[in-house]
Amino acid sequence: MDKHLSEEDSDNIDWDTEDELEIQDTTFSSCRDLRTNGQYAISGDGEASSSSVPGQSTFIQKFLVMGFSEESIAKAIEQNGENSDLVLDALLTLKAIEDSPEEQPSASPHLEPCINSDDSSSEYNENFLDDVYDEDSWSSDSDYCTNSVKQCYVKEESNSLSEKEQTILFLANMGYPVEEVSIAMERCGPEASVSELTDFICAAQMAREEDPYLPEDVKPKLNHGSGGYKKRKMFNQLCKSKKPRAIFDEETIRLPKPMIGFGVPTESVSAIVRRTIPEQAFGPPFFYYENVALAPKGVWDTISRFLYDIEPEFVDSKYFCATARKRGYIHNLPTENRFPLLPLPPRTINEALPLTKKWWPSWDPRTKLNCLQTAIGSARLTDRIRKAVEAFDGEPPMRVQKFVLDQCRKWNLVWVGRNKVAPLEPDEFEMLLGFPKNHTRGGGISRTDRYKSLGNSFQVDTVAYHLSVLKDMFPNGMNVLSLFSGIGGAEVALYRLGIQLNNVVSVEKSEVNRNIVRSWWEQTNQRGNLIDFDDVQQLNGDRLEQLIDSCGGFDLLIGGSPCNNLAGSNRVSRDGLEGKESSLFYDYVRILDLVKSIMSRQR
């Protein structure tokens, strides 16, 4: 799940190509479903019109497709320039004026919202928002409401359009940029309801607006004109109506020092932690979400806001084992009566790797390793270090010591001989992270893939400490929905706690990781059922309802969405929850809400 490195950044990390910066300026013409072929585009009245007319740029065509007249488009462009957001806001304002009772209806078949003229002002229809965005609309039976709303908003003349095209027109008419609608439909899947799409767009807009790492020219312009005000009002109403927002301090959530969350077994806590869980966050199911602690500013505020405003628990795994791993956890589990896995894992480098003690130089003060990465130091680097240290009879000078220690900390190099350092072996990774020996060999994969899989995993001892409260609650075993499962850190933690796994639905994109989990399941002679999926978007309302019916409901929903776009060392695409991979966080929220809704109806 995680690709976060230590505080020491490196430009040499071989990040996945899937981490590329998401293109913000996706053109409308890329939506192939809106074109009948290479020469014709679907116009607003559902008829085909030539898309190769001279003088009609792609910028103009995308508004023609939405049903606006050329005259209105030209006027809006003259006033606002070629800025999609501002032009769309202006067109919506002009359309609202044209559609008011005082004006004669236009000869062209525009799309007419079924609202009063007052509702098209900036004080837009708050009751409508309550109807569209209530929490029940996230359940699988929201299609009826969604279709009713769309039918109200789209005239009979547009019946010839596909359902996808009608949805795009409907959301564009509400004031959402077409580019963002297209991205949302791609991410949420073809079966997504309007409420799911608007939630995704709202969260994406707010995350980009608050992210200090994004350039100003790619941040959403939410406050320009009446249309911009209307969209901002809708965003605020959406988040307010979905879940109450806690009152945070003016500054964003800060990481605690020491990073021990609500307590760790090796450190004393000065006071008993008492926290209040909002009523709507109560289970079933229990849920547990994890991601990197050192995320861009505002990310954890957003994560907390979408997970019922629960306070994150930030923990560094160095209090559980010999390696650091700074993570944030949001969950609705009790915090009392936790207990650690036994035997306690070694907590220092020399305890974990006793053979290194003989060769450890006195000028290397490390007792803990930094966060384990998905890549390791090269043979060329270790050879450079050997030559640098061997050049001196006694202790090397300070400048050489500094170079060596910097590289050792960055790449977690350990001393394996006189003046010789080496990266950790995969089985040493497994031991430090709490997995059984040879856990990642079960997938029949290369050493490189083993490092990658382990670097993206849970630290089992840390997670097991938090999950330990479930042991007495479920003496007959549990049903678990594991999202972004990786190599099965959650399943291993529950198994090591002695909790029987009755049914596990595991969702993991990587075939390598799925093979590792399947191999572990078979080698440990699990008696329950393991069902795996390769894409979280396959879990729509209908599929979840089938799974819940078959296993009798989920007791725990656990997972940590990809941190590719959050990790501090990822300088290429550190664009927060808007990134291509890290935006899958919203699928975690979507699935959690669906599971809670379905299970509440069945109780």
Side-chain angles (χ1 to χ4, degrees):
M1 289 167 301
D2 304 319
K3 285 196 174 183
H4 173 62
L5 311 181
S6 65
E7 294 91 338
E8 309 269 356
D9 290 345
S10 171
D11 294 324
N12 299 319
I13 301 299
D14 184 20
W15 295 107
D16 289 346
T17 55
E18 296 174 353
D19 299 352
E20 293 296 327
L21 177 65
E22 181 181 352
I23 298 174
Q24 301 290 344
D25 298 324
T26 305
T27 59
F28 189 78
S29 60
S30 65
C31 300
R32 296 181 182 177
D33 291 338
L34 294 181
R35 295 183 181 273
T36 56
N37 54 45
Q39 296 179 338
Y40 297 98
I42 303 299
S43 65
D45 58 2
E47 304 206 2
S49 61
S50 172
S51 63
S52 58
V53 177
Q56 287 189 357
S57 66
T58 304
F59 185 80
I60 294 176
Q61 288 174 23
K62 68 181 179 182
F63 295 109
L64 289 173
V65 170
M66 294 165 58
F68 296 109
S69 67
E70 288 189 49
E71 182 181 357
S72 300
I73 296 170
K75 185 174 181 181
I77 292 176
E78 181 181 356
Q79 293 175 350
N80 300 281
E82 292 198 3
N83 182 307
S84 297
D85 241 5
L86 298 183
V87 170
L88 181 57
D89 290 340
L91 289 171
L92 289 170
T93 303
L94 288 171
K95 182 181 178 308
I97 296 173
E98 292 171 1
D99 292 343
S100 64
E102 289 80 5
E103 299 290 335
Q104 294 295 326
S106 173
S108 60
H110 290 296
L111 301 177
E112 298 181 4
C114 299
I115 55 178
N116 296 330
S117 58
D118 292 339
D119 293 333
S120 60
S121 67
S122 59
E123 301 295 326
Y124 179 69
N125 202 349
E126 298 180 6
N127 293 330
F128 166 75
L129 289 168
D130 292 338
D131 293 336
V132 175
Y133 300 124
D134 60 40
E135 191 161 350
D136 290 338
S137 69
W138 276 51
S139 64
S140 60
D141 62 356
S142 65
D143 292 338
Y144 174 80
C145 296
T146 299
N147 291 333
S148 299
V149 174
K150 286 199 291 187
Q151 289 168 5
C152 178
Y153 270 76
V154 182
K155 269 192 162 185
E156 291 182 1
E157 288 86 345
S158 64
N159 287 341
S160 61
L161 300 180
S162 70
E163 184 176 352
K164 179 177 180 180
E165 292 160 357
Q166 289 186 24
T167 301
I168 291 178
L169 291 173
F170 167 63
L171 292 173
N173 199 46
M174 290 174 62
Y176 292 99
V178 173
E179 294 88 345
E180 296 182 15
V181 174
S182 176
I183 293 172
M185 294 185 75
E186 178 184 349
R187 296 290 173 77
C188 297
E191 304 299 325
S193 65
V194 168
S195 59
E196 292 172 327
L197 294 172
T198 51
D199 250 5
F200 182 94
I201 297 171
C202 162
Q205 286 266 9
M206 295 173 63
R208 280 210 309 278
E209 184 191 24
E210 296 174 1
D211 193 340
Y213 293 90
L214 280 182
E216 291 297 324
D217 58 347
V218 301
K219 288 189 177 183
K221 305 293 189 293
L222 297 177
N223 292 316
H224 294 280
S226 60
Y229 179 82
K230 178 173 72 175
K231 284 189 290 180
R232 179 61 172 271
K233 190 176 184 66
M234 292 173 70
F235 296 156
N236 293 341
Q237 286 289 336
L238 168 62
C239 296
K240 179 188 287 187
S241 63
K242 185 176 183 301
K243 301 179 182 77
R245 182 173 180 175
I247 301 176
F248 290 103
D249 294 333
E250 290 185 1
E251 297 191 13
T252 57
I253 294 174
R254 291 189 173 187
L255 302 182
K257 292 184 180 180
M259 199 179 289
I260 59 174
F262 304 139
V264 295
T266 55
E267 301 288 326
S268 59
V269 180
S270 57
I272 297 177
V273 176
R274 298 189 184 278
R275 62 175 188 155
T276 302
I277 301 293
E279 183 178 352
Q280 65 268 31
F282 290 150
F286 287 108
F287 66 88
Y288 185 88
Y289 176 81
E290 183 251 27
N291 217 314
V292 293
L294 302 177
K297 182 179 179 181
V299 164
W300 275 104
D301 295 88
T302 302
I303 293 173
S304 175
R305 184 159 63 248
F306 275 82
L307 292 176
Y308 309 99
D309 285 315
I310 294 177
E311 177 187 357
E313 180 173 10
F314 294 106
V315 182
D316 190 337
S317 291
K318 72 179 184 180
Y319 297 105
F320 289 85
C321 64
T323 185
R325 206 172 189 81
K326 297 178 176 66
R327 296 294 181 265
Y329 306 89
I330 292 183
H331 57 83
N332 62 348
L333 297 166
T335 58
E336 300 82 14
N337 302 319
R338 292 170 164 178
F339 60 87
L341 288 174
L342 297 176
L344 293 176
R347 293 188 55 211
T348 67
I349 298 173
N350 290 158
E351 290 174 358
L353 307 169
L355 295 180
T356 64
K357 186 174 183 179
K358 177 180 178 180
W359 307 108
W360 208 269
S362 59
W363 47 269
D364 185 345
R366 291 179 297 153
T367 60
K368 301 276 188 181
L369 295 165
N370 273 338
C371 182
L372 301 183
Q373 307 168 11
T374 57
I376 60 171
S378 65
R380 179 181 299 179
L381 173 63
T382 57
D383 190 53
R384 283 180 61 198
I385 291 174
R386 178 184 61 79
K387 291 178 179 178
V389 177
E390 281 182 348
F392 305 93
D393 293 334
E395 287 190 1
M398 291 299 297
R399 59 180 178 81
V400 175
Q401 290 184 26
K402 183 180 185 306
F403 162 74
V404 172
L405 289 176
D406 285 348
Q407 298 305 313
C408 287
R409 289 189 177 105
K410 182 183 297 183
W411 297 104
N412 285 316
L413 305 176
V414 294
W415 299 92
V416 296
R418 185 182 299 278
N419 302 327
K420 293 180 181 179
V421 293
L424 297 170
E425 293 294 320
D427 60 328
E428 293 170 333
F429 263 58
E430 291 168 342
M431 178 267 297
L432 290 164
L433 292 172
F435 289 95
K437 188 175 182 179
N438 294 325
H439 179 75
T440 52
R441 292 190 69 180
I445 59 176
S446 67
R447 282 168 54 90
T448 300
D449 283 339
R450 290 181 70 185
Y451 284 122
K452 181 178 177 181
S453 295
L454 285 160
N456 290 332
S457 70
F458 281 144
Q459 204 291 321
V460 173
D461 299 277
T462 309
V463 172
Y465 182 66
H466 296 160
L467 300 180
S468 61
V469 297
L470 299 173
K471 182 173 175 60
D472 292 337
M473 296 183 187
F474 297 95
N476 298 319
M478 297 181 66
N479 296 327
V480 180
L481 175 54
S482 177
L483 304 180
F484 318 104
S485 297
I487 58 175
E491 292 87 333
V492 172
L494 292 168
Y495 174 70
R496 290 189 59 192
L497 285 167
I499 299 175
Q500 180 177 317
L501 299 173
N502 296 333
N503 295 281
V504 173
V505 176
S506 172
V507 187
E508 169 56 38
K509 179 180 180 181
S510 167
E511 183 179 4
V512 165
N513 291 344
R514 293 199 304 275
N515 289 339
I516 291 173
V517 174
R518 175 67 63 179
S519 177
W520 170 83
W521 188 269
E522 294 169 352
Q523 290 175 6
T524 52
N525 299 315
Q526 298 292 328
R527 299 179 181 177
N529 301 310
L530 175 62
I531 305 169
D532 52 38
F533 294 88
D534 61 5
D535 189 352
V536 290
Q537 293 181 2
Q538 294 175 343
L539 296 187
N540 55 24
D542 291 339
R543 181 64 61 84
L544 285 168
E545 195 154 12
Q546 293 171 3
L547 292 169
I548 289 171
D549 287 341
S550 65
C551 69
F554 293 112
D555 303 304
L556 174 67
L557 191 156
I558 190 167
S561 54
C563 69
N564 305 45
N565 312 114
L566 306 182
S569 344
N570 184 359
R571 298 178 181 177
V572 177
S573 55
R574 194 173 188 241
D575 44 358
L577 293 174
E578 268 305 276
K580 180 178 180 180
E581 302 295 333
S582 295
S583 62
L584 291 172
F585 159 73
Y586 300 112
D587 279 293
Y588 182 98
V589 176
R590 173 182 65 84
I591 292 170
L592 174 60
D593 281 353
L594 281 171
V595 170
K596 287 175 67 66
S597 177
I598 294 169
M599 291 182 64
S600 66
R601 291 202 311 269
Q602 294 183 352
R603 286 202 300 270

